[in-house]
Amino acid sequence: ARSVRLVASWGPRDVLDLATGSGDLALALQRALPQARVVGADFCLPMLQVAARKGLRPLVVADGTCLPFADASFDAVTVAFGLRNMESWPQALREMSRVLRRDGHLLILDFSMPRPPFSVLYRFYLHRVLPLVAGLLTGNRAGYEYLGESIESFPSGAAMHRLLEDNGFRAPRTRPLAAGIVSIYTARRADPEP
């Protein structure tokens, strides 16, 4: 809900929800911004088919590191729990910057590492508890071991700010949620120097 309110406060006309998956964020954005065009994009066709059954349109099969959209096509780009899994974070961010209009907004919602002392407990949970319990419930312990590793290796806080600033964005800001286990990162497209 907080992510949707932030995007709505920007008043975008055209929004790209990248790594849209089953379309939950894009659908919430459509409800909050009935006058806006919200495009859902994901590289996984079966997930887009789920989003289509929920009523999300338009949908585009797209790789976040090579987007099939013209330069300056969107006022805002959102990506929830998807950037972390993209092959190249810098390339994906450069593509997001490219498809944003001048002063366009980016919102990233993803897992992050909380600050000490919570980080010690959270690491134990990520690497010991989560894989064990999820493995017993799903039979896929390896998938949850990957999840913990991907969360820990994903940049957060100042490291995310540097990544954003190095790849086409300015004025990055972090909004930690759930004691820092999840964070909202926002930034604006950095226009090239004249």
Side-chain angles (χ1 to χ4, degrees), residues 50-73:
V50 172
R53 285 193 295 274
K54 291 180 177 181
L56 181 60
R57 304 262 188 312
L59 294 165
V60 177
V61 176
D63 178 340
T65 62
C66 184
L67 295 173
F69 304 106
D71 295 357
S73 297

Side-chain angles (χ1 to χ4, degrees), residues 27-132:
L27 288 165
L29 289 168
Q30 279 184 339
R31 286 189 294 276
L33 297 160
Q35 304 305 316
R37 175 181 70 118
V38 178
V39 177
D42 200 297
F43 78 96
C44 182
L45 181 59
M47 292 303 291
L48 289 177
Q49 291 168 334
V50 172
R53 285 193 295 274
K54 291 180 177 181
L56 181 60
R57 304 262 188 312
L59 294 165
V60 177
V61 176
D63 178 340
T65 62
C66 184
L67 295 173
F69 304 106
D71 295 357
S73 297
F74 299 95
D75 302 305
V77 173
T78 60
V79 58
F81 304 102
L83 178 61
R84 179 174 37 87
N85 296 311
M86 291 183 191
E87 185 177 4
S88 168
W89 305 327
Q91 180 59 31
L93 288 170
R94 287 191 296 270
E95 277 293 280
M96 291 177 216
S97 177
R98 180 186 65 77
V99 302
L100 277 170
R101 293 185 179 117
R102 184 181 186 92
D103 287 330
H105 293 268
L106 171 68
L107 181 139
I108 299 166
L109 174 66
D110 217 313
F111 292 110
S112 53
M113 291 301 297
R115 293 185 179 161
F118 298 114
S119 60
V120 174
L121 295 171
Y122 189 54
R123 278 189 176 95
F124 179 79
Y125 168 77
L126 280 180
H127 297 292
R128 305 283 185 200
V129 178
L130 179 63
L132 177 65

Side-chain angles (χ1 to χ4, degrees), residues 83 93 108 154-165 172 174 185:
L83 178 61
L93 288 170
I108 299 166
F154 191 61
S156 58
M160 177 59 81
H161 288 197
R162 283 190 300 277
L163 182 64
L164 289 165
E165 289 171 336
T174 302
Y185 302 98

